[in-house]
Amino acid sequence: MQFGALSLFVAISLHFARGAVYQSLESLPARNYDFVVIGGGNAGAVVASRLTENPRFSVLVVEAGPNNEGVLDLQVPAFNQQINSTYNWNYVTVPLSGLRNRTIPFGRGHVLGGSSSINGMVYTRGSADDYDAWARITGDQGWTWRSLFPLILRHEKWVAPLGGRDITGQYDPRVHGVKGNTLVSLPQSGPRDFERRAIQTTRDLPRDFPFNLDVNSGNPLGVTWIPSTIGNGERSSSATGYLNTRVRGRPNLDIVLNTQATRVLTTRSSRQPEIRTVELAPRPRGSLRKTITASKELILSAGAINTPQILLNSGIGDRKDLSALGINTIHNLPDVGKGMSDHVVTVALWNTTGTAIPPPGPADLEQWKNSRTGPLTEFGGKNFIWSRIPSNSSIWRGNSDPASGRNAPHIELALVNFGDLAGASIVLLTPKSRGSVKLRSNDPFDSPLIDLGYFSNPFDLVALREGAHIAKKFFSAPAWAGFITTPFFTLDPDTTPPDVFDSFTRDLVTSTLHPTGTAAMSARNARDGVLDPNLLVKGVKGLRVVDASAIPLIPTGHTQAAVYILAERAVDLIRAAW
């Protein structure tokens, strides 16, 4: 009898000790969880991994997409542009009035790891001023750069590029973590002629383009080398960094894939409704419905598009908008889905005296498979420029400065070199325009209405023109003599009439895919905003949001780093609550 009881105990233990990754909602067994995390992406993976470090906490991760493991395109950095649409939500914006009703493809990660599994892998934190602004907006000093810096080091694992090249003078080891989860490194290949000219420009024009040892120091201004979330020749996503095989084997962690959260539901009605229950359905568009209630918290980490979509489908949002779609309002919270910021990008290119760089071939893939080295280990350029619009620019006549502080850049120039063409992507880091995420219908499977709001504030169009001036000045430096020749599909901002230049820009711009702020934090007693400084949904109990939608001011960097940082603080806030 004792042997039989022991056998049953062992069998139950083995059941929960296996790698509990379920491929469908139908296969998910009935089990109670302390925390249910909706979305296994950039932030959700962090939350689930950190919470289950404590064996007393049980966590379920609900991911709408499939598994990331074993997918070559998600591993090879240079395959970024050929990732199968299976791993993308494949959204398209509404016709954008600022772009003459042009629509833009708006990809989001539909796979474990979320957009960190399909993005461009650039790792830049932004300015310390950005995070200090979060603290001012929320009234919580825990969001300052100084307060967050230990968490920055906690999440990052800086690794040297394979091959052992000397990267001295291209980064500052004092501002990087070496024991974290997200692998970050510089490219395997060293500087070539293009990069040497870029660095020489910092000597030719040091006042305009100073050299900056490390973009991630909190002061990004200048010409920098660019690290990426690539380690040991492979993409490092939140799935590989935080939900690796060892973590997936924890007995207190379950992951269900191919499962969509359709609504959150009231668990207990009171003056402040308690919302710890979620309704789940199979993807794509399954008829089965299951509800799961977290005993402690329901955590929305579905991203800046899907988190507001879920809230709105649940009846949490602007009562007028919900009523128009026949959705019963359970909590009137008007700012849900509103106030979205994104980084708009245009480009300036010139012909050169160089020859076209050939694309990678089969031999390069074999090299990658054999040693994780070679050209397939890299994606994008090696140098970026982070600039402020000059203080004497006419743009400041009648316009306040939208930057978070004096060390926050307005413009990013991502330098690109195709051999026979070279130039820069020009990114506006401090937009004044705001967009929105709204519901198309009351069907949770319908894609949302994504309006980026580009150029709804005229400042942004003029600011991009200023960015073109900066790009022209950089590539006019003596270092580029004998290399840069004539413009290629690029208008001269000095000689082109402003209205013609701006019209050209409207037809050229696209998105960097950095949406933020659609469920933003605000001060605890402020009437605006969606979340309090602890990332809890205002006016309800039991529901927290941890993703880019919570960001109250878009960072002057690529948003994945800021989301990792936000998620690490969220973990500490959750731990402190329980």
Side-chain angles (χ1 to χ4, degrees), residues 369-435:
K369 288 179 176 179
N370 292 331
S371 64
R372 296 299 192 266
T373 61
L376 295 184
T377 65
E378 300 175 9
F379 178 78
K382 294 183 173 69
N383 297 113
F384 283 21
I385 304 166
W386 310 85
S387 293
R388 286 183 61 80
I389 296 171
S391 58
N392 62 355
S393 168
S394 60
I395 196 174
W396 303 124
R397 297 174 196 156
N399 276 308
S400 61
D401 186 350
S404 58
R406 293 182 178 180
N407 289 322
H410 301 110
I411 298 294
E412 168 197 321
L413 300 181
L415 303 188
V416 293
N417 176 32
F418 303 107
D420 57 340
L421 293 173
S425 295
I426 304 170
V427 182
L428 177 59
L429 299 170
T430 56
K432 287 194 173 188
S433 299
R434 295 293 182 265

Side-chain angles (χ1 to χ4, degrees), residues 272-275 316 330-331 536-543:
Q272 279 196 333
E274 193 165 345
I275 298 176
I316 302 172
I330 64 172
H331 181 47
L536 292 164
V537 176
K538 290 186 170 187
V540 304
K541 297 178 181 178
L543 183 61

Side-chain angles (χ1 to χ4, degrees), residues 2 68 81 89 120 129 167 211 289 291 313-315 357 380 382 384 398 414 419 476 494 514 573:
Q2 287 180 337
N68 67 297
Q81 296 298 303
W89 283 92
D129 291 340
I167 56 174
F211 175 72
R289 295 290 187 275
T291 59
N313 270 312
S314 308
I357 299 172
K382 294 183 173 69
F384 283 21
S476 298
D494 293 322
H514 293 167
L573 292 170

